[in-house]
Structures are given as structure tokens and as C-alpha cells.
């Protein structure tokens, strides 16, 4: 790899650093076109391969959109969605509207959900957190959540069959007040939950469901819901890393 004469930094890294600085400073704003490969070659006096390496790095970092040659790329738009934790705030519970729907409307977004329901053998994490025997059958309520018609997050809830059978949870439709409120009205009051949070690059299924472009990481929340201090169900939440910020509110 050729290096620049100043400080031994590879040429492609120097170009990537320069473009990243323009994005950070606001010189290049979300939605702005990145100069074409030919324009970057002329501006930085480097080879086409160097420019492509620099652009690929910025794409992998999630700063610019993919593109080829003269088609150009753009600075990624980052109209961030705020996720509040805890979600069981009084103002949301009082609305008797699903928490996700209420939260998105409060931020000026148009929310939507695509729901599928099925019965599966409990994934290892679910079985471990709920104290189930390996291979136990559970109900999974899969929700693909859309914001302004764009897939932005996944929320797949895994419930023991005895908890979900003969209830609206088994139907692939919205539960108007949300599943947690519906269960609470029937004596299954969520007392607390534990979030196990991690970040990583998405699995192929996450890429497919969220229609992710190359270089977009995801934030994973494995949420264990408790009823009467016993783990009752698990929700696997996948948030697009380029669209979300998570705000934790801790009471002292």
C-alpha cells in the first residue's frame, strides 16, 4: 500500500479522513452529493483505486451511501429516532396506545407495523432466560416496525404457549393498547425488565427484513420481561444503527 509523504498515512486513509472531516464539520450535509471519483482524483491527486478504497471505508462506517463510479454517493441522512428507556412511562401508558406507535407519533413520525405470529422451538437464549427445557415450543410474535414507511427496527417477542394461547397475541394484528398493557389488564403485570444490550454487524435475516445497506450496524436489545419477579417472556429488539439513539432515564 502506498503511503503519503506526510506522516506515513496511506493515501486512501488521508482521503477518507478529509471527507470525514467535511461531514463532521457540516461542510457536507446529510443528503449532499459526495464528489465523483473523477472529481476526487483531481482534488487529491491520487489514483482511482485510492479513491475507491477511501469511499468504501466511509461506506463501511455508515457515513455515505453505496455507489459506483459516476453514479456518485451521498452523505447518509440521519433523521434520528429516539428510543426512551424505560418505555413504561406514565404518559404513554395513559394513552392506551401501543408504546411504539405513541412514541413515534410524539416525535412527528408515521409509524407502522408488519406482524407475523408462529410457534417455534425456543432459541437457546430464550430458553435460558425463561428457564425452559431445550426445544420447548414457544409462541413468537414478530414485528417489523416501520417509520415513515421505511423498516427501522425489529421486535420479536417469545412467549410460553400457556401465556399466549387463546389470546389476541396469537393473531397477526395490532393489539390497540399494546401487548404489555393487554396482559396487565388480565393480571399479568410487567413489574420490571432487564435489557442486555450489544452492537454488531447485522445477520443476513436482519439485513433482509430491515433492507439494510452495506456498512450499517445494528443495536441489539435482548429484553427479559418479568411478572411477579419471574421471567415471563423475552423480546429481541434490533435497531438500525444509522437511525436510532437510545435515551436512558434513571431515577435517583
Amino acid at each position: 500500500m502506498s503511503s503519503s509523504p506526510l506522516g506515513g498515512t496511506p493515501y486512501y486513509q488521508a482521503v477518507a479522513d478529509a471527507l470525514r472531516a467535511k461531514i463532521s464539520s457540516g461542510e457536507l450535509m446529510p443528503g449532499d452529493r459526495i464528489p465523483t471519483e473523477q472529481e476526487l482524483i483531481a482534488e487529491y491527486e491520487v489514483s482511482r483505486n485510492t479513491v475507491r478504497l477511501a469511499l468504501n471505508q466511509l461506506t463501511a462506517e455508515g457515513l455515505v451511501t453505496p455507489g459506483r463510479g459516476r453514479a456518485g454517493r451521498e452523505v447518509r441522512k440521519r433523521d434520528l429516532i429516539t428510543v426512551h428507556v424505560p418505555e413504561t412511562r406514565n404518559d404513554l401508558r395513559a394513552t392506551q396506545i401501543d408504546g411504539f406507535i405513541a412514541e413515534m407519533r410524539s416525535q412527528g413520525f408515521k409509524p407502522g407495523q408488519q406482524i407475523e405470529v408462529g410457534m417455534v422451538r425456543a432459541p437457546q437464549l430464550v430458553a435460558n432466560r425463561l428457564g425452559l427445557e431445550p426445544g420447548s415450543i414457544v409462541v413468537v410474535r414478530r414485528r417489523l416496525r416501520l417509520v415513515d414507511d421505511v423498516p427501522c427496527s425489529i421486535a420479536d417477542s417469545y412467549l410460553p404457549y400457556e401465556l399466549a394461547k387463546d389470546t389476541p397475541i396469537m393473531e397477526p394484528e395490532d393489539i390497540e393498547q399494546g401487548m404489555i398493557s393487554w396482559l396487565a389488564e388480565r393480571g399479568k403485570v410487567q413489574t420490571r425488565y432487564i435489557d442486555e444490550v450489544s452492537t454488531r454487524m447485522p445477520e443476513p435475516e436482519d439485513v433482509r427484513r430491515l433492507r439494510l445497506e452495506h456498512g450499517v450496524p445494528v443495536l441489539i436489545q435482548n429484553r427479559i420481561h418479568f411478572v411477579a419477579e419471574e421471567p415471563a417472556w423475552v423480546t429481541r429488539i434490533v435497531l438500525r444503527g444509522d437511525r436510532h439513539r437510545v435515551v436512558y432515564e434513571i431515577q435517583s
Side-chain angles (χ1 to χ4, degrees):
M1 174 67 67
S2 298
S3 296
S4 65
L6 299 176
T9 301
Y11 282 120
Y12 84 90
Q13 187 66 63
V15 175
D17 290 347
L19 290 172
R20 190 187 302 104
K22 290 182 179 181
I23 294 170
S24 298
S25 69
E27 182 178 343
L28 287 172
M29 298 291 290
D32 283 354
R33 182 183 67 84
I34 298 292
T36 64
E37 289 182 1
Q38 196 59 46
E39 290 169 338
L40 292 171
I41 289 168
E43 180 177 356
Y44 294 103
E45 300 181 346
V46 293
S47 69
R48 184 177 300 278
N49 186 58
T50 295
V51 165
R52 287 180 175 174
L53 287 171
L55 292 174
N56 287 342
Q57 176 167 325
L58 295 177
T59 301
E61 293 174 10
L63 293 177
V64 304
T65 62
R68 290 183 177 275
R70 287 177 291 180
R73 309 183 190 217
E74 295 181 351
V75 180
R76 281 193 190 276
K77 296 179 180 179
R78 297 178 61 85
D79 191 6
L80 291 180
I81 300 161
T82 300
V83 176
H84 289 98
V85 180
E87 292 177 343
T88 52
R89 297 177 300 156
N90 290 333
D91 57 330
L92 293 186
R93 284 183 291 179
T95 65
Q96 288 299 296
I97 299 175
D98 176 90
F100 165 74
I101 300 294
E103 183 73 86
M104 293 304 97
R105 287 177 180 171
S106 74
Q107 295 178 43
F109 297 113
K110 182 181 78 172
Q113 298 190 95
Q114 296 176 1
I115 303 172
E116 299 177 359
V117 178
M119 296 177 63
V120 299
R121 297 196 181 278
Q124 183 175 358
L125 181 140
V126 173
N128 288 345
R129 300 302 184 270
L130 297 182
L132 301 176
E133 292 293 328
S136 296
I137 298 297
V138 294
V139 172
V140 58
R141 186 173 172 85
R142 304 185 191 276
R143 288 159 293 178
L144 177 64
R145 290 174 163 173
L146 298 92
V147 175
D148 294 339
D149 299 319
V150 177
C152 281
S153 63
I154 294 167
D156 293 344
S157 293
Y158 296 85
L159 304 95
Y161 177 69
E162 290 300 317
L163 181 61
K165 72 175 181 178
D166 301 325
T167 75
I169 294 169
M170 299 291 293
E171 301 297 327
E173 300 174 353
D174 280 330
I175 299 174
E176 185 175 358
Q177 72 267 47
M179 187 177 73
I180 293 175
S181 293
W182 190 93
L183 286 168
E185 290 175 357
R186 285 146 185 86
K188 301 295 184 180
V189 179
Q190 174 181 277
T191 53
R192 65 187 177 98
Y193 58 75
I194 295 174
D195 274 354
E196 301 172 345
V197 181
S198 61
T199 58
R200 59 166 171 74
M201 297 309 293
E203 296 175 355
E205 182 67 7
D206 299 329
V207 172
R208 182 188 69 81
R209 293 175 72 184
L210 293 173
R211 303 179 205 164
L212 295 175
E213 296 174 340
H214 177 71
V216 178
V218 291
L219 184 145
I220 307 295
Q221 291 174 282
N222 291 316
R223 176 165 293 178
I224 303 97
H225 306 259
F226 288 78
V227 171
E229 296 308 310
E230 293 294 330
W233 72 93
V234 173
T235 301
R236 176 182 180 269
I237 302 168
V238 183
L239 303 172
R240 291 181 59 127
D242 62 338
R243 291 297 311 275
H244 289 86
R245 62 181 173 187
V246 179
V247 177
Y248 279 81
E249 181 178 342
I250 309 298
Q251 298 290 337
S252 59

